Amino acid sequence: MPELPEVQTIVTTLRPSLLGRPLSNVRLLRPDILHPSGLELPAKVNGRRVADVTRRGKKIIIQLDDGESFFIHLGMSGRLTLEASASQLPLHTHLVISLPENRELRFTDPRRFGGVWWIGDDYHPDSGLGPEALDLIPAYLIERLARTKRAIKTALLDQKLIAGIGNIYADEALFAAGIHPTTLTHRLKPDQITALVRAIKKVLTRALRHKGSTLRDFRNADGQPGGFQKLHRVYDREGKPCHNCKTPLLRLVLGGRSTHFCPSCQKR
DNA sequence: GTCCATGTTCTTTA
DNA sequence: CTAAAGAACATGGA
Protein backbone atom coordinates (compact mmCIF):
# COMPACT_ATOMS: atom_id res chain seq x y z
CA MET A 1 0.00 0.00 0.00
CA PRO A 2 2.35 2.66 1.02
CA GLU A 3 4.49 4.69 -1.30
CA LEU A 4 5.37 8.33 -0.83
CA PRO A 5 1.91 9.77 -1.63
CA GLU A 6 0.11 7.32 0.66
CA VAL A 7 2.56 7.74 3.53
CA GLN A 8 2.50 11.53 3.19
CA THR A 9 -1.30 11.48 3.17
CA ILE A 10 -1.29 9.55 6.43
CA VAL A 11 1.18 12.01 7.98
CA THR A 12 -0.92 14.95 6.82
CA THR A 13 -4.11 13.54 8.33
CA LEU A 14 -2.40 12.31 11.50
CA ARG A 15 -0.34 15.36 12.33
CA PRO A 16 -2.99 17.83 13.58
CA SER A 17 -4.48 15.23 15.91
CA LEU A 18 -1.15 14.24 17.42
CA LEU A 19 0.88 17.45 17.74
CA GLY A 20 1.31 18.41 21.39
CA ARG A 21 -0.94 15.60 22.61
CA PRO A 22 0.14 13.28 25.43
CA LEU A 23 0.46 9.56 24.68
CA SER A 24 -0.61 6.97 27.22
CA ASN A 25 -1.51 3.34 27.79
CA VAL A 26 0.79 1.92 25.12
CA ARG A 27 -0.32 -1.64 24.30
CA LEU A 28 1.98 -3.79 22.20
CA LEU A 29 -0.35 -6.64 21.29
CA ARG A 30 2.09 -8.31 18.92
CA PRO A 31 5.60 -7.82 20.31
CA ASP A 32 7.43 -9.10 17.24
CA ILE A 33 6.58 -5.96 15.22
CA LEU A 34 8.83 -3.90 17.52
CA HIS A 35 12.51 -3.34 16.75
CA PRO A 36 14.72 -3.77 18.59
CA SER A 37 12.74 -6.64 20.06
CA GLY A 38 12.18 -6.59 23.78
CA LEU A 39 12.39 -2.79 24.06
CA GLU A 40 10.17 -1.42 26.85
CA LEU A 41 8.07 0.75 24.55
CA PRO A 42 5.44 1.74 27.18
CA ALA A 43 8.13 3.07 29.52
CA LYS A 44 9.61 5.13 26.70
CA VAL A 45 6.34 6.53 25.35
CA ASN A 46 3.76 6.75 28.14
CA GLY A 47 3.39 10.33 29.38
CA ARG A 48 5.34 11.86 26.51
CA ARG A 49 3.83 14.48 24.21
CA VAL A 50 4.19 14.41 20.43
CA ALA A 51 6.63 17.06 19.26
CA ASP A 52 6.35 16.33 15.54
CA VAL A 53 5.10 13.85 12.93
CA THR A 54 7.05 13.74 9.67
CA ARG A 55 7.88 11.50 6.73
CA ARG A 56 11.20 10.33 5.32
CA GLY A 57 10.89 8.03 2.30
CA LYS A 58 8.15 5.60 3.31
CA LYS A 59 8.77 5.97 7.06
CA ILE A 60 6.45 7.84 9.41
CA ILE A 61 8.59 9.46 12.09
CA ILE A 62 7.10 10.40 15.45
CA GLN A 63 9.25 12.69 17.59
CA LEU A 64 8.55 12.96 21.31
CA ASP A 65 8.97 15.96 23.58
CA ASP A 66 12.03 14.44 25.28
CA GLY A 67 13.99 14.43 22.02
CA GLU A 68 13.57 10.72 21.38
CA SER A 69 11.75 9.36 18.35
CA PHE A 70 10.56 6.23 16.61
CA PHE A 71 9.28 5.41 13.15
CA ILE A 72 6.55 3.25 11.70
CA HIS A 73 6.93 1.53 8.35
CA LEU A 74 3.68 0.20 6.88
CA GLY A 75 5.19 -2.58 4.76
CA MET A 76 2.64 -3.84 2.24
CA SER A 77 -0.58 -3.92 4.24
CA GLY A 78 -0.07 -1.68 7.26
CA ARG A 79 -2.52 0.98 8.43
CA LEU A 80 -2.06 3.74 10.98
CA THR A 81 -5.40 5.16 12.04
CA LEU A 82 -7.04 7.35 14.65
CA GLU A 83 -10.15 5.78 16.15
CA ALA A 84 -12.60 6.21 18.99
CA SER A 85 -11.40 4.06 21.90
CA ALA A 86 -14.82 2.43 22.12
CA SER A 87 -14.71 1.12 18.55
CA GLN A 88 -13.89 -2.52 18.02
CA LEU A 89 -10.24 -3.46 17.47
CA PRO A 90 -9.79 -4.89 13.96
CA LEU A 91 -7.98 -8.19 13.47
CA HIS A 92 -4.19 -7.83 13.22
CA THR A 93 -4.02 -4.73 15.39
CA HIS A 94 -0.50 -4.86 16.80
CA LEU A 95 -0.05 -1.54 18.61
CA VAL A 96 -2.52 0.80 20.31
CA ILE A 97 -1.64 4.13 21.93
CA SER A 98 -4.25 6.16 23.82
CA LEU A 99 -4.83 9.87 23.17
CA PRO A 100 -6.94 12.44 25.00
CA GLU A 101 -10.72 12.57 24.48
CA ASN A 102 -11.15 8.81 24.22
CA ARG A 103 -9.27 8.44 20.98
CA GLU A 104 -6.42 6.16 20.10
CA LEU A 105 -3.74 5.60 17.48
CA ARG A 106 -3.73 2.07 16.04
CA PHE A 107 -1.21 0.20 13.93
CA THR A 108 -2.82 -2.70 12.05
CA ASP A 109 -0.95 -4.92 9.58
CA PRO A 110 -2.13 -8.40 8.49
CA ARG A 111 1.04 -9.36 6.65
CA ARG A 112 3.38 -7.89 9.26
CA PHE A 113 5.98 -6.69 6.74
CA GLY A 114 5.64 -3.38 8.53
CA GLY A 115 6.53 -2.53 12.11
CA VAL A 116 7.77 -0.01 14.64
CA TRP A 117 11.43 0.92 14.94
CA TRP A 118 12.78 2.78 17.95
CA ILE A 119 15.23 5.50 16.95
CA GLY A 120 16.04 7.11 20.29
CA ASP A 121 17.77 10.49 20.44
CA ASP A 122 20.26 9.90 17.63
CA TYR A 123 18.19 10.42 14.49
CA HIS A 124 19.98 10.30 11.14
CA PRO A 125 17.36 11.09 8.48
CA ASP A 126 19.61 10.05 5.62
CA SER A 127 20.94 6.79 6.97
CA GLY A 128 20.45 4.21 4.25
CA LEU A 129 18.07 6.33 2.18
CA GLY A 130 18.63 8.24 -1.03
CA PRO A 131 17.28 11.76 -1.60
CA GLU A 132 13.56 12.35 -1.39
CA ALA A 133 11.86 11.67 -4.73
CA LEU A 134 10.29 15.15 -4.68
CA ASP A 135 13.71 16.77 -4.19
CA LEU A 136 15.47 14.92 -7.02
CA ILE A 137 18.04 16.80 -9.08
CA PRO A 138 18.71 15.53 -12.64
CA ALA A 139 22.49 15.84 -12.22
CA TYR A 140 22.40 13.47 -9.23
CA LEU A 141 20.38 10.83 -11.05
CA ILE A 142 22.45 11.14 -14.24
CA GLU A 143 25.62 10.53 -12.24
CA ARG A 144 24.21 7.63 -10.23
CA LEU A 145 22.53 5.83 -13.14
CA ALA A 146 25.70 5.96 -15.22
CA ARG A 147 27.63 3.79 -12.76
CA THR A 148 25.15 0.93 -12.69
CA LYS A 149 23.55 -1.30 -15.29
CA ARG A 150 20.21 -2.70 -14.37
CA ALA A 151 16.68 -2.14 -15.58
CA ILE A 152 15.56 1.42 -14.82
CA LYS A 153 12.35 0.05 -13.30
CA THR A 154 14.37 -1.92 -10.75
CA ALA A 155 16.57 1.10 -10.01
CA LEU A 156 13.55 3.30 -9.27
CA LEU A 157 12.49 0.88 -6.52
CA ASP A 158 15.91 1.11 -4.84
CA GLN A 159 15.37 3.26 -1.74
CA LYS A 160 19.10 3.86 -1.44
CA LEU A 161 18.98 5.56 -4.83
CA ILE A 162 15.68 7.48 -4.41
CA ALA A 163 13.45 7.44 -1.32
CA GLY A 164 9.71 7.10 -1.66
CA ILE A 165 8.96 5.42 -5.00
CA GLY A 166 7.27 1.98 -5.08
CA ASN A 167 5.82 -0.29 -7.73
CA ILE A 168 2.82 1.85 -8.73
CA TYR A 169 4.62 5.16 -9.14
CA ALA A 170 7.69 3.61 -10.79
CA ASP A 171 5.45 2.31 -13.60
CA GLU A 172 3.46 5.54 -13.82
CA ALA A 173 6.59 7.73 -13.92
CA LEU A 174 8.25 5.61 -16.64
CA PHE A 175 5.10 5.86 -18.74
CA ALA A 176 4.93 9.63 -18.22
CA ALA A 177 8.57 9.90 -19.31
CA GLY A 178 8.15 7.55 -22.29
CA ILE A 179 10.89 5.19 -21.09
CA HIS A 180 10.73 1.42 -21.51
CA PRO A 181 11.03 -0.23 -18.06
CA THR A 182 13.77 -2.68 -19.07
CA THR A 183 16.07 0.05 -20.41
CA LEU A 184 19.45 -0.39 -18.76
CA THR A 185 20.33 2.58 -16.57
CA HIS A 186 23.75 3.28 -18.11
CA ARG A 187 22.13 3.53 -21.56
CA LEU A 188 19.72 6.32 -20.59
CA LYS A 189 20.60 9.70 -22.08
CA PRO A 190 20.80 12.79 -19.89
CA ASP A 191 17.73 14.22 -21.62
CA GLN A 192 15.75 11.09 -20.79
CA ILE A 193 16.83 11.20 -17.15
CA THR A 194 15.89 14.85 -16.90
CA ALA A 195 12.47 13.98 -18.33
CA LEU A 196 12.21 11.10 -15.86
CA VAL A 197 12.90 13.38 -12.89
CA ARG A 198 10.18 15.72 -14.11
CA ALA A 199 7.80 12.77 -14.61
CA ILE A 200 8.47 11.39 -11.12
CA LYS A 201 7.64 14.72 -9.52
CA LYS A 202 4.59 15.24 -11.69
CA VAL A 203 3.13 11.80 -10.95
CA LEU A 204 3.83 11.98 -7.21
CA THR A 205 2.41 15.50 -6.94
CA ARG A 206 -0.77 14.50 -8.74
CA ALA A 207 -1.11 11.42 -6.53
CA LEU A 208 -0.67 13.58 -3.43
CA ARG A 209 -3.40 15.91 -4.64
CA HIS A 210 -5.70 12.87 -4.87
CA LYS A 211 -4.62 11.60 -1.43
CA GLY A 212 -2.85 8.49 -2.72
CA SER A 213 -3.95 5.27 -4.47
CA THR A 214 -6.18 2.68 -2.84
CA LEU A 215 -6.00 -0.74 -4.46
CA ARG A 216 -7.16 -2.66 -1.42
CA ASP A 217 -5.54 -1.76 1.91
CA PHE A 218 -4.66 1.89 1.89
CA ARG A 219 -6.58 4.25 4.16
CA ASN A 220 -5.45 7.57 5.57
CA ALA A 221 -5.39 8.17 9.33
CA ASP A 222 -9.11 9.02 9.21
CA GLY A 223 -9.96 5.76 7.45
CA GLN A 224 -10.59 7.35 4.04
CA PRO A 225 -9.31 5.74 0.81
CA GLY A 226 -7.33 7.65 -1.81
CA GLY A 227 -8.56 8.47 -5.30
CA PHE A 228 -5.51 8.35 -7.56
CA GLN A 229 -6.09 4.71 -8.59
CA LYS A 230 -8.73 6.01 -10.99
CA LEU A 231 -6.05 8.06 -12.74
CA HIS A 232 -3.43 5.31 -13.16
CA ARG A 233 -2.29 5.25 -16.79
CA VAL A 234 -0.60 1.84 -16.78
CA TYR A 235 -0.51 0.26 -13.31
CA ASP A 236 -2.86 -2.76 -13.13
CA ARG A 237 -4.17 -2.01 -16.64
CA GLU A 238 -2.68 -4.94 -18.55
CA GLY A 239 -4.51 -5.51 -21.84
CA LYS A 240 -6.43 -2.24 -21.62
CA PRO A 241 -5.87 0.48 -24.23
CA CYS A 242 -3.14 3.05 -23.71
CA HIS A 243 -4.58 6.49 -22.92
CA ASN A 244 -2.28 8.04 -25.52
CA CYS A 245 -2.39 5.62 -28.47
CA LYS A 246 -4.95 2.86 -27.71
CA THR A 247 -2.29 0.11 -27.98
CA PRO A 248 -3.06 -2.67 -25.46
CA LEU A 249 -0.81 -2.30 -22.42
CA LEU A 250 1.63 -5.09 -21.55
CA ARG A 251 2.78 -6.57 -18.25
CA LEU A 252 6.08 -8.25 -17.48
CA VAL A 253 7.92 -9.24 -14.33
CA LEU A 254 11.07 -7.34 -13.37
CA GLY A 255 12.90 -7.90 -10.13
CA GLY A 256 9.99 -10.06 -9.07
CA ARG A 257 7.52 -7.20 -9.47
CA SER A 258 4.69 -6.70 -11.94
CA THR A 259 5.63 -4.03 -14.45
CA HIS A 260 3.06 -2.33 -16.69
CA PHE A 261 3.85 -0.30 -19.80
CA CYS A 262 2.79 0.72 -23.29
CA PRO A 263 4.93 -1.00 -25.96
CA SER A 264 4.24 1.85 -28.35
CA CYS A 265 4.77 4.91 -26.12
CA GLN A 266 7.72 3.36 -24.25
CA LYS A 267 10.13 1.96 -26.82
CA ARG A 268 13.56 0.59 -25.97
C1' DG B 1 -5.71 -26.07 -4.46
C1' DT B 2 -3.06 -21.90 -7.33
C1' DC B 3 -1.44 -17.35 -8.12
C1' DC B 4 -0.86 -12.71 -6.89
C1' DA B 5 -0.27 -8.50 -3.92
C1' DT B 6 1.32 -0.87 -2.87
C1' DG B 7 7.99 -3.66 0.53
C1' DT B 8 12.42 -4.88 2.34
C1' DT B 9 16.26 -7.84 3.28
C1' DC B 10 18.91 -11.83 3.04
C1' DT B 11 20.99 -15.37 -0.02
C1' DT B 12 22.55 -17.05 -4.32
C1' DT B 13 24.43 -16.45 -8.79
C1' DA B 14 27.17 -14.36 -12.35
C1' DC C 1 35.47 -9.04 -4.79
C1' DT C 2 30.96 -6.69 -6.42
C1' DA C 3 26.56 -6.15 -8.64
C1' DA C 4 22.45 -8.12 -9.97
C1' DA C 5 18.90 -11.60 -9.66
C1' DG C 6 16.10 -14.52 -6.82
C1' DA C 7 14.01 -16.18 -2.59
C1' DA C 8 11.95 -15.36 1.63
C1' DC C 9 9.01 -13.20 4.90
C1' DA C 10 2.94 -13.68 6.44
C1' DT C 11 -1.69 -13.24 5.25
C1' DG C 12 -5.75 -12.76 2.49
C1' DG C 13 -8.35 -12.34 -1.78
C1' DA C 14 -9.46 -13.69 -6.55
Side-chain angles (χ1 to χ4, degrees), chain A residues 16-34:
Chain A
S17 296
L18 288 188
L19 278 190
R21 302 279 156 70
L23 304 176
S24 62
N25 194 16
V26 170
R27 282 148 285 166
L28 186 60
L29 281 48
R30 181 86 198 207
D32 60 341
I33 58 110
L34 177 64

Side-chain angles (χ1 to χ4, degrees), chain A residues 12 30 47 57 71 79 86 95 102 108 115 117 125 137 141 146 164 175 186 202 214 221 243 245:
Chain A
T12 301
R30 181 86 198 207
F71 75 82
R79 288 186 189 181
L95 177 67
N102 293 313
T108 305
W117 281 260
I137 294 166
L141 205 54
F175 174 77
H186 69 299
K202 186 179 85 174
T214 294
H243 279 281
C245 71

Side-chain angles (χ1 to χ4, degrees), chain A residues 114-233:
Chain A
V116 176
W117 281 260
W118 186 255
I119 297 169
D121 58 9
D122 195 22
Y123 175 44
H124 298 287
D126 293 337
S127 68
L129 283 184
E132 281 293 314
L134 289 171
D135 299 336
L136 270 187
I137 294 166
Y140 162 82
L141 205 54
I142 290 167
E143 192 270 320
R144 288 294 303 265
L145 292 180
R147 20 189 265 223
T148 177
K149 64 165 191 197
R150 50 182 169 165
I152 181 61
K153 162 65 186 281
T154 309
L156 290 180
L157 298 178
D158 180 353
Q159 302 299 298
K160 293 188 290 299
L161 181 69
I162 307 168
I165 300 175
N167 209 33
I168 294 174
Y169 300 107
D171 284 3
E172 294 295 324
L174 286 171
F175 174 77
I179 296 171
H180 193 289
T182 65
T183 309
L184 296 179
T185 52
H186 69 299
R187 296 221 186 279
L188 282 166
K189 302 200 166 60
D191 285 2
Q192 290 180 288
I193 299 176
T194 301
L196 178 57
V197 168
R198 202 173 308 130
I200 288 169
K201 292 182 183 180
K202 186 179 85 174
V203 165
L204 292 177
T205 303
R206 290 188 71 215
L208 275 168
R209 207 176 298 136
H210 292 271
K211 300 176 163 60
S213 302
T214 294
L215 300 186
R216 54 199 288 181
D217 293 307
F218 173 64
R219 296 293 185 280
N220 71 22
D222 299 326
Q224 302 300 311
F228 192 65
Q229 65 283 354
K230 296 173 193 152
L231 300 175
H232 291 172
R233 293 299 193 227

Side-chain angles (χ1 to χ4, degrees), chain A residues 233-234 237-249 262:
Chain A
R233 293 299 193 227
V234 287
R237 296 194 66 242
E238 180 186 12
K240 294 180 177 160
C242 171
H243 279 281
N244 284 349
C245 71
K246 312 297 179 209
T247 304
L249 300 176
C262 172

